[in-house]
Every structure is written in C-alpha cells, then in structure tokens.
Amino acid sequence: MTDETPIASKPRPRSYAHAPRLAADGGKVELRSLFSGTGPVMLEIGPGRGRFALELLAARPDWSVLALEIRKKLAFNLDERMRERGCSPRARCFAEDAREALPRLIGDGTVSAAAIHFPDPWWKKRHAKRMVVGDELVNELARLVAKGGTVLVQTDVIERAEAYFPRFAEHPEFASKGAPYVEESPFVPARSNREAMAITDGLPVYRMVFERR
Ligand SMILES: C[S@@+](CC[C@H](N)C(=O)[O-])C[C@H]1O[C@@H](n2cnc3c(N)ncnc32)[C@H](O)[C@@H]1O
C-alpha cells in the first residue's frame, strides 16, 4: 500500500455490521432453539473479550453459553472463537444490548446461571442511561433464571457494588449468598478478562452471588 493507492482500494475499517444478531427481525426468540445442547445454560452479559465464556465452556463441556455483547466487534470475535474451538452451536455470542435482548427471550426459568463481570464502565453523569444493571434487567433475570439458579455480579468499584447489591438482595425473587461479598467466584476456574487482570494487579474484587428463590 503506497500513498498513490487509490482511495477505493484502501482497506476500510470493518463495520462488523455482519456480527451475529439474535433474530434478523428483532422479534422474540426461543432461548433453547439457539443451542444444540440440552444441558445447563449460562447467560453472560457483556463478555467483552470473552475469556470467561471460553474458560467455562472448556471446564464444563455439558454447558451452553449465551453471551450478549453490545459492541459488535467484540461479539463477532467471541462468536468466531467459540466456533473455532468447536463450541458452536453449544455456545453463541450475539451483538445485542442485553437490556433490549432479554425481554425478547422466550423460556422462563431456562437459564441455570447468569454472570455479569465488571459492567458499566461509565463514569459521567450524562452516561448514566447506558447502565446495564438496573431494575428492568434484574426483573428479566428473575424471569429467565431457574429456581435455585445462581447470578454472579462482580466489580472492582465499591460504589458500583454498593449500588448493585440491593437491586438483587431486595428483589423478592433473589436471595444473597454472601454477606454481601464472597471471596471466590462460583465459576472458577473460569475468569473474565477484567477479573484476571484485577487479581494479577492485586485489586479488590467485590463478588456478589444471588440465588433465584
Ligand atoms: C468493563 S467491560 C468488562 C468486560 C468483561 N465482562 C470482563 O470482565 O472482562 C464491560 C462490557 O460490557 C459491555 N456492555 C456494556 N453495556 C452493555 C449492554 N447494555 N449489553 C451488553 N453488553 C454491554 C461492554 O461493551 C463491555 O464489553
């Protein structure tokens, strides 16, 4: 490639418009129809680069994973990596805003566990509307997670942990399994990218575990 290369033939940044979506028409989707497996289902919200999902799939070969990632490039890359590792269609990552996608999933009580690792990297007041962990999301998790199922929420920001905890702990369908934080994730050896980095850097990780009543 030289400065004389015509603009039209220069590689353009990929738009990732082809990142997988839950359904082309934006309609409702039967959650179980997304996978071939019949085993337990992990729902991961905001997987980022996807280390947790990939490690969980390796550690628990009977589990399926449904990951919802708002950034198209990250969703595309994780879905590809799941496929390359032979985990598709046991596992999929879709380019979706979890707040909009969860109400479209049919299958109350079909999720065995849900994980939200280090969400909401928004610090400006005007970005508050982007926050993923809100009352509507918690209500959707209460609908989708099976009785006795586990929800893990973890962050390294204490103010965030203090805001998330009561949303779940005071919800009639969830009971806290910590006081309020637990030492270790119930899904080790699977770790998210941010979680692994926090451990390496010696940062505190506030882990909250809730059981669906
Ligand atoms: C700080 S990163 C953490 C990534 C990963 N969970 C980890 O622990 O390494 C937050 C992730 O959540 C994603 N995210 C933010 N809002 C989201 C939403 N509404 N729906 C789905 N993903 C979202 C971001 O794109 C980003 O990948």
Side-chain angles (χ1 to χ4, degrees), residues 44 46-48 68-71 74 96-99 117-119 121-122 132 192-195:
E44 187 182 359
L68 301 172
E69 169 54 56
I70 201 167
R71 289 179 59 196
L74 295 176
E96 298 289 347
D97 181 332
R99 296 167 301 179
H117 310 285
F118 301 80
W122 330 109
V132 71
S192 83
N193 297 80
R194 275 291 281 271
E195 180 184 11

mmCIF file of all heavy atoms in Angstrom, residues 44 46-48 68-71 74 96-99 117-119 121-122 132 192-195, ligand 1:
data_model
loop_
_atom_site.group_PDB
_atom_site.id
_atom_site.type_symbol
_atom_site.label_atom_id
_atom_site.label_comp_id
_atom_site.label_asym_id
_atom_site.label_seq_id
_atom_site.Cartn_x
_atom_site.Cartn_y
_atom_site.Cartn_z
ATOM 1 N N GLU A 44 -24.278 -14.834 29.872
ATOM 2 C CA GLU A 44 -23.274 -13.838 30.253
ATOM 3 C C GLU A 44 -23.611 -12.505 29.595
ATOM 4 O O GLU A 44 -23.834 -12.434 28.380
ATOM 5 C CB GLU A 44 -21.855 -14.278 29.850
ATOM 6 C CG GLU A 44 -20.848 -13.282 30.426
ATOM 7 C CD GLU A 44 -19.391 -13.562 30.077
ATOM 8 O OE1 GLU A 44 -19.104 -14.557 29.387
ATOM 9 O OE2 GLU A 44 -18.548 -12.751 30.494
ATOM 10 N N GLY A 46 -22.362 -8.827 28.638
ATOM 11 C CA GLY A 46 -21.162 -8.004 28.450
ATOM 12 C C GLY A 46 -19.882 -8.792 28.606
ATOM 13 O O GLY A 46 -19.051 -8.454 29.447
ATOM 14 N N PRO A 47 -19.677 -9.833 27.777
ATOM 15 C CA PRO A 47 -18.489 -10.684 27.939
ATOM 16 C C PRO A 47 -17.185 -10.004 27.550
ATOM 17 O O PRO A 47 -16.107 -10.507 27.880
ATOM 18 C CB PRO A 47 -18.764 -11.869 26.995
ATOM 19 C CG PRO A 47 -19.661 -11.296 25.935
ATOM 20 C CD PRO A 47 -20.529 -10.298 26.663
ATOM 21 N N GLY A 48 -17.243 -8.878 26.848
ATOM 22 C CA GLY A 48 -16.005 -8.225 26.426
ATOM 23 C C GLY A 48 -15.216 -9.147 25.525
ATOM 24 O O GLY A 48 -15.726 -9.674 24.543
ATOM 25 N N LEU A 68 -24.288 -11.939 25.475
ATOM 26 C CA LEU A 68 -24.854 -10.752 24.819
ATOM 27 C C LEU A 68 -23.875 -9.606 25.019
ATOM 28 O O LEU A 68 -23.605 -9.208 26.171
ATOM 29 C CB LEU A 68 -26.213 -10.406 25.429
ATOM 30 C CG LEU A 68 -27.280 -11.508 25.345
ATOM 31 C CD1 LEU A 68 -28.517 -11.136 26.158
ATOM 32 C CD2 LEU A 68 -27.668 -11.778 23.890
ATOM 33 N N GLU A 69 -23.337 -9.105 23.921
ATOM 34 C CA GLU A 69 -22.299 -8.068 23.985
ATOM 35 C C GLU A 69 -22.702 -6.917 23.055
ATOM 36 O O GLU A 69 -22.933 -7.131 21.872
ATOM 37 C CB GLU A 69 -20.949 -8.676 23.560
ATOM 38 C CG GLU A 69 -19.833 -7.692 23.318
ATOM 39 C CD GLU A 69 -19.548 -6.743 24.482
ATOM 40 O OE1 GLU A 69 -19.284 -7.207 25.600
ATOM 41 O OE2 GLU A 69 -19.617 -5.512 24.254
ATOM 42 N N ILE A 70 -22.759 -5.723 23.620
ATOM 43 C CA ILE A 70 -23.265 -4.572 22.858
ATOM 44 C C ILE A 70 -22.295 -4.146 21.760
ATOM 45 O O ILE A 70 -22.720 -3.605 20.739
ATOM 46 C CB ILE A 70 -23.589 -3.398 23.817
ATOM 47 C CG1 ILE A 70 -24.567 -2.422 23.165
ATOM 48 C CG2 ILE A 70 -22.339 -2.705 24.292
ATOM 49 C CD1 ILE A 70 -25.179 -1.427 24.147
ATOM 50 N N ARG A 71 -21.012 -4.392 21.944
ATOM 51 C CA ARG A 71 -20.035 -3.949 20.920
ATOM 52 C C ARG A 71 -19.887 -5.028 19.846
ATOM 53 O O ARG A 71 -19.453 -6.158 20.121
ATOM 54 C CB ARG A 71 -18.694 -3.631 21.585
ATOM 55 C CG ARG A 71 -18.798 -2.348 22.416
ATOM 56 C CD ARG A 71 -17.504 -2.033 23.098
ATOM 57 N NE ARG A 71 -16.404 -1.854 22.169
ATOM 58 C CZ ARG A 71 -15.119 -1.873 22.517
ATOM 59 N NH1 ARG A 71 -14.781 -2.082 23.775
ATOM 60 N NH2 ARG A 71 -14.183 -1.706 21.623
ATOM 61 N N LEU A 74 -16.555 -6.989 19.370
ATOM 62 C CA LEU A 74 -16.291 -7.966 20.431
ATOM 63 C C LEU A 74 -17.214 -9.169 20.294
ATOM 64 O O LEU A 74 -16.795 -10.317 20.476
ATOM 65 C CB LEU A 74 -16.459 -7.314 21.805
ATOM 66 C CG LEU A 74 -15.470 -6.193 22.149
ATOM 67 C CD1 LEU A 74 -15.813 -5.567 23.493
ATOM 68 C CD2 LEU A 74 -14.038 -6.737 22.167
ATOM 69 N N GLU A 96 -25.830 -7.646 20.871
ATOM 70 C CA GLU A 96 -27.109 -7.121 21.354
ATOM 71 C C GLU A 96 -26.892 -6.303 22.616
ATOM 72 O O GLU A 96 -26.011 -6.612 23.423
ATOM 73 C CB GLU A 96 -28.067 -8.274 21.711
ATOM 74 C CG GLU A 96 -28.455 -9.180 20.571
ATOM 75 C CD GLU A 96 -29.382 -8.537 19.548
ATOM 76 O OE1 GLU A 96 -29.939 -7.455 19.832
ATOM 77 O OE2 GLU A 96 -29.530 -9.107 18.454
ATOM 78 N N ASP A 97 -27.753 -5.313 22.780
ATOM 79 C CA ASP A 97 -27.862 -4.619 24.053
ATOM 80 C C ASP A 97 -28.693 -5.530 24.962
ATOM 81 O O ASP A 97 -29.870 -5.798 24.672
ATOM 82 C CB ASP A 97 -28.573 -3.276 23.837
ATOM 83 C CG ASP A 97 -28.713 -2.468 25.128
ATOM 84 O OD1 ASP A 97 -28.764 -3.070 26.215
ATOM 85 O OD2 ASP A 97 -28.793 -1.236 25.028
ATOM 86 N N ALA A 98 -28.080 -6.023 26.014
ATOM 87 C CA ALA A 98 -28.764 -7.001 26.879
ATOM 88 C C ALA A 98 -30.091 -6.457 27.401
ATOM 89 O O ALA A 98 -31.040 -7.206 27.586
ATOM 90 C CB ALA A 98 -27.859 -7.389 28.048
ATOM 91 N N ARG A 99 -30.174 -5.154 27.612
ATOM 92 C CA ARG A 99 -31.412 -4.579 28.168
ATOM 93 C C ARG A 99 -32.582 -4.732 27.199
ATOM 94 O O ARG A 99 -33.725 -4.842 27.610
ATOM 95 C CB ARG A 99 -31.194 -3.095 28.495
ATOM 96 C CG ARG A 99 -30.154 -2.870 29.577
ATOM 97 C CD ARG A 99 -29.750 -1.430 29.659
ATOM 98 N NE ARG A 99 -29.188 -0.965 28.384
ATOM 99 C CZ ARG A 99 -28.760 0.253 28.155
ATOM 100 N NH1 ARG A 99 -28.821 1.156 29.112
ATOM 101 N NH2 ARG A 99 -28.255 0.590 26.987
ATOM 102 N N HIS A 117 -19.822 -9.544 34.691
ATOM 103 C CA HIS A 117 -18.490 -9.232 35.224
ATOM 104 C C HIS A 117 -18.101 -7.797 34.888
ATOM 105 O O HIS A 117 -18.052 -7.427 33.712
ATOM 106 C CB HIS A 117 -17.425 -10.131 34.595
ATOM 107 C CG HIS A 117 -17.740 -11.589 34.619
ATOM 108 N ND1 HIS A 117 -17.657 -12.359 35.760
ATOM 109 C CD2 HIS A 117 -18.114 -12.433 33.630
ATOM 110 C CE1 HIS A 117 -17.963 -13.616 35.461
ATOM 111 N NE2 HIS A 117 -18.245 -13.683 34.180
ATOM 112 N N PHE A 118 -17.818 -7.018 35.893
ATOM 113 C CA PHE A 118 -17.263 -5.677 35.710
ATOM 114 C C PHE A 118 -18.061 -4.854 34.700
ATOM 115 O O PHE A 118 -17.502 -4.349 33.725
ATOM 116 C CB PHE A 118 -15.782 -5.768 35.288
ATOM 117 C CG PHE A 118 -14.946 -6.489 36.299
ATOM 118 C CD1 PHE A 118 -14.926 -7.887 36.347
ATOM 119 C CD2 PHE A 118 -14.201 -5.787 37.237
ATOM 120 C CE1 PHE A 118 -14.185 -8.566 37.315
ATOM 121 C CE2 PHE A 118 -13.454 -6.459 38.205
ATOM 122 C CZ PHE A 118 -13.448 -7.861 38.240
ATOM 123 N N PRO A 119 -19.378 -4.727 34.942
ATOM 124 C CA PRO A 119 -20.188 -3.973 33.979
ATOM 125 C C PRO A 119 -20.076 -2.466 34.194
ATOM 126 O O PRO A 119 -19.423 -2.014 35.144
ATOM 127 C CB PRO A 119 -21.606 -4.455 34.309
ATOM 128 C CG PRO A 119 -21.561 -4.757 35.772
ATOM 129 C CD PRO A 119 -20.158 -5.242 36.063
ATOM 130 N N PRO A 121 -18.833 0.528 32.605
ATOM 131 C CA PRO A 121 -17.635 1.374 32.686
ATOM 132 C C PRO A 121 -17.951 2.823 32.312
ATOM 133 O O PRO A 121 -17.265 3.434 31.494
ATOM 134 C CB PRO A 121 -16.690 0.733 31.660
ATOM 135 C CG PRO A 121 -17.611 0.174 30.622
ATOM 136 C CD PRO A 121 -18.877 -0.219 31.342
ATOM 137 N N TRP A 122 -19.032 3.357 32.881
ATOM 138 C CA TRP A 122 -19.439 4.729 32.533
ATOM 139 C C TRP A 122 -19.362 5.558 33.796
ATOM 140 O O TRP A 122 -19.962 5.225 34.805
ATOM 141 C CB TRP A 122 -20.876 4.773 31.985
ATOM 142 C CG TRP A 122 -21.309 3.544 31.270
ATOM 143 C CD1 TRP A 122 -22.216 2.622 31.688
ATOM 144 C CD2 TRP A 122 -20.864 3.093 29.988
ATOM 145 N NE1 TRP A 122 -22.347 1.641 30.748
ATOM 146 C CE2 TRP A 122 -21.539 1.891 29.699
ATOM 147 C CE3 TRP A 122 -19.952 3.584 29.056
ATOM 148 C CZ2 TRP A 122 -21.340 1.175 28.525
ATOM 149 C CZ3 TRP A 122 -19.752 2.877 27.891
ATOM 150 C CH2 TRP A 122 -20.438 1.702 27.627
ATOM 151 N N VAL A 132 -26.183 -0.924 32.556
ATOM 152 C CA VAL A 132 -26.871 -2.168 32.214
ATOM 153 C C VAL A 132 -27.576 -2.777 33.423
ATOM 154 O O VAL A 132 -28.654 -3.347 33.304
ATOM 155 C CB VAL A 132 -25.888 -3.156 31.520
ATOM 156 C CG1 VAL A 132 -24.866 -3.709 32.484
ATOM 157 C CG2 VAL A 132 -26.629 -4.270 30.828
ATOM 158 N N SER A 192 -13.184 -13.830 33.999
ATOM 159 C CA SER A 192 -13.294 -12.833 32.930
ATOM 160 C C SER A 192 -11.934 -12.148 32.761
ATOM 161 O O SER A 192 -11.073 -12.217 33.640
ATOM 162 C CB SER A 192 -14.377 -11.805 33.262
ATOM 163 O OG SER A 192 -13.874 -10.796 34.112
ATOM 164 N N ASN A 193 -11.774 -11.463 31.632
ATOM 165 C CA ASN A 193 -10.505 -10.774 31.375
ATOM 166 C C ASN A 193 -10.208 -9.746 32.460
ATOM 167 O O ASN A 193 -9.084 -9.668 32.979
ATOM 168 C CB ASN A 193 -10.539 -10.077 30.005
ATOM 169 C CG ASN A 193 -10.689 -11.062 28.866
ATOM 170 O OD1 ASN A 193 -11.783 -11.518 28.583
ATOM 171 N ND2 ASN A 193 -9.585 -11.419 28.226
ATOM 172 N N ARG A 194 -11.235 -8.979 32.817
ATOM 173 C CA ARG A 194 -11.039 -7.944 33.837
ATOM 174 C C ARG A 194 -10.768 -8.569 35.197
ATOM 175 O O ARG A 194 -9.968 -8.051 35.982
ATOM 176 C CB ARG A 194 -12.282 -7.046 33.944
ATOM 177 C CG ARG A 194 -12.323 -5.905 32.955
ATOM 178 C CD ARG A 194 -11.284 -4.827 33.226
ATOM 179 N NE ARG A 194 -11.634 -3.914 34.292
ATOM 180 C CZ ARG A 194 -12.313 -2.805 34.139
ATOM 181 N NH1 ARG A 194 -12.752 -2.457 32.956
ATOM 182 N NH2 ARG A 194 -12.550 -2.010 35.158
ATOM 183 N N GLU A 195 -11.426 -9.660 35.482
ATOM 184 C CA GLU A 195 -11.239 -10.335 36.770
ATOM 185 C C GLU A 195 -9.795 -10.830 36.890
ATOM 186 O O GLU A 195 -9.133 -10.620 37.914
ATOM 187 C CB GLU A 195 -12.210 -11.511 36.863
ATOM 188 C CG GLU A 195 -12.110 -12.296 38.154
ATOM 189 C CD GLU A 195 -13.039 -13.519 38.163
ATOM 190 O OE1 GLU A 195 -13.594 -13.852 37.106
ATOM 191 O OE2 GLU A 195 -13.183 -14.129 39.231
HETATM 192 C C1 LIG B 1 -15.743 -3.135 31.530
HETATM 193 S S1 LIG B 1 -16.180 -4.262 30.252
HETATM 194 C C2 LIG B 1 -15.967 -5.851 31.049
HETATM 195 C C3 LIG B 1 -15.808 -6.972 30.054
HETATM 196 C C4 LIG B 1 -15.817 -8.373 30.664
HETATM 197 N N1 LIG B 1 -17.081 -8.657 31.302
HETATM 198 C C5 LIG B 1 -14.703 -8.556 31.646
HETATM 199 O O1 LIG B 1 -14.961 -8.648 32.859
HETATM 200 O O2 LIG B 1 -13.537 -8.613 31.215
HETATM 201 C C6 LIG B 1 -17.971 -4.131 30.121
HETATM 202 C C7 LIG B 1 -18.507 -4.877 28.915
HETATM 203 O O3 LIG B 1 -19.926 -4.802 28.901
HETATM 204 C C8 LIG B 1 -20.354 -4.479 27.592
HETATM 205 N N2 LIG B 1 -21.677 -3.843 27.692
HETATM 206 C C9 LIG B 1 -21.944 -2.620 28.203
HETATM 207 N N3 LIG B 1 -23.259 -2.356 28.163
HETATM 208 C C10 LIG B 1 -23.841 -3.463 27.625
HETATM 209 C C11 LIG B 1 -25.203 -3.800 27.308
HETATM 210 N N4 LIG B 1 -26.201 -2.938 27.530
HETATM 211 N N5 LIG B 1 -25.449 -5.023 26.760
HETATM 212 C C12 LIG B 1 -24.424 -5.882 26.505
HETATM 213 N N6 LIG B 1 -23.124 -5.601 26.762
HETATM 214 C C13 LIG B 1 -22.843 -4.410 27.322
HETATM 215 C C14 LIG B 1 -19.267 -3.574 27.067
HETATM 216 O O4 LIG B 1 -19.258 -3.452 25.660
HETATM 217 C C15 LIG B 1 -18.030 -4.294 27.591
HETATM 218 O O5 LIG B 1 -17.609 -5.327 26.732
#
